[in-house]
């Protein structure tokens, strides 16, 4: 009977991304870069990376967001295979890192989004800007929506009252981003 592949068998063992993305300090990248390199070497492993969004471990979800951003930067078209699921499933995850990364993914794939996907992306970012309290979610949503509003009068109109509200936010970065957004909207 043949032994299963493993150390010493001559065959390499593929380590699961879930294990690679867990452990260590929550604010560190851990082995995220290794995961990204594995996906870039084998596009089929993007499915495994995507599934890590549904881990019960919030550190894994944080790192999968970082990995998805890096993969999308390199290959925006690969992420489009997951866009509908990102918008339907991942957008519902109540974790700040997931929400601000979605805004970045939407921006990185902007030219590839179908009209319904673009509409859904705007709705998700608007929901986050209107109701989220995390400073990175607010700043990222304002930056991306502000960029997209350059050619969308309705979006500019929607953004103004939210930017005015956030211009008085006690967090300097949020207030500063909101004031810059108001200047862009009014120019």
């Amino acid at each position: 009977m043949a032994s299963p592949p493993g150390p010493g068998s001559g065959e390499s063992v593929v380590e699961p991304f879930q294990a690679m993305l867990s452990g260590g300090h929550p604010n560190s990248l851990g082995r995220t870069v290794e995961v990204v390199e594995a996906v870039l070497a084998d596009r089929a492993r993007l499915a495994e990376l995507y599934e890590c969004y549904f881990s019960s471990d919030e550190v894994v979800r944080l790192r999968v967001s970082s990995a998805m951003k890096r993969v999308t930067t390199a290959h925006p078209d690969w992420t489009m295979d997951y866009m509908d699921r990102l918008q339907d499933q991942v957008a519902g995850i109540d974790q700040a890192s997931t929400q601000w990364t979605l805004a970045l993914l939407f921006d990185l794939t902007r030219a590839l989004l179908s009209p319904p996907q673009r509409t859904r992306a705007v709705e998700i970012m608007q929901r986050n800007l209107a109701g989220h309290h995390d400073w990175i979610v607010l700043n990222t949503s304002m930056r991306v929506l502000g960029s997209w509003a350059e050619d969308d009068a309705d979006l500019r109109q929607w953004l103004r009252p939210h930017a005015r509200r956030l211009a008085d936010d006690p967090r300097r970065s949020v207030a500063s981003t909101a004031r810059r957004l108001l200047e862009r909207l009014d120019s």
Side-chain angles (χ1 to χ4, degrees), residues 6-51:
S9 70
E11 294 183 43
S12 64
V13 174
V14 176
E15 189 172 1
F17 289 158
Q18 172 81 24
M20 292 176 72
L21 295 172
S22 65
H25 192 278
N27 290 337
S28 77
L29 284 174
R31 297 176 62 195
T32 302
V33 173
E34 288 179 64
V35 169
V36 170
E37 290 169 353
V39 171
L40 294 178
D42 181 1
R43 180 179 180 172
R45 293 200 74 192
L46 185 56
E48 179 186 354
L49 177 61
Y50 175 80
E51 288 304 317

Side-chain angles (χ1 to χ4, degrees), residues 102-172:
L102 277 176
L104 295 175
L105 297 181
F106 297 154
D107 204 35
L108 289 166
T109 58
R110 181 180 179 181
L112 302 173
L113 295 172
S114 69
Q117 289 170 329
R118 178 188 160 85
T119 297
R120 182 72 178 119
V122 169
E123 290 169 352
I124 291 165
M125 291 185 288
Q126 285 176 321
R127 179 196 71 208
N128 284 336
L129 188 59
H132 217 288
H133 299 290
D134 180 84
W135 69 275
I136 302 175
V137 173
L138 295 172
N139 282 334
T140 307
S141 298
M142 281 190 282
R143 285 187 194 110
V144 175
L145 286 170
S147 172
W148 290 26
E150 289 174 4
D151 59 358
D152 185 333
D154 291 337
L155 184 52
R156 282 193 305 275
Q157 182 176 347
W158 184 91
L159 274 171
R160 277 188 185 93
H162 293 282
R164 279 189 216 103
R165 169 180 59 86
L166 293 170
D168 293 326
D169 193 274
R171 295 164 292 185
R172 258 189 241 167

Side-chain angles (χ1 to χ4, degrees), residues 87-102:
Q87 292 182 337
D88 293 338
Q89 299 171 333
V90 176
I93 297 172
D94 185 20
Q95 184 169 338
S97 61
T98 300
Q99 296 308 313
W100 65 258
T101 302
L102 277 176

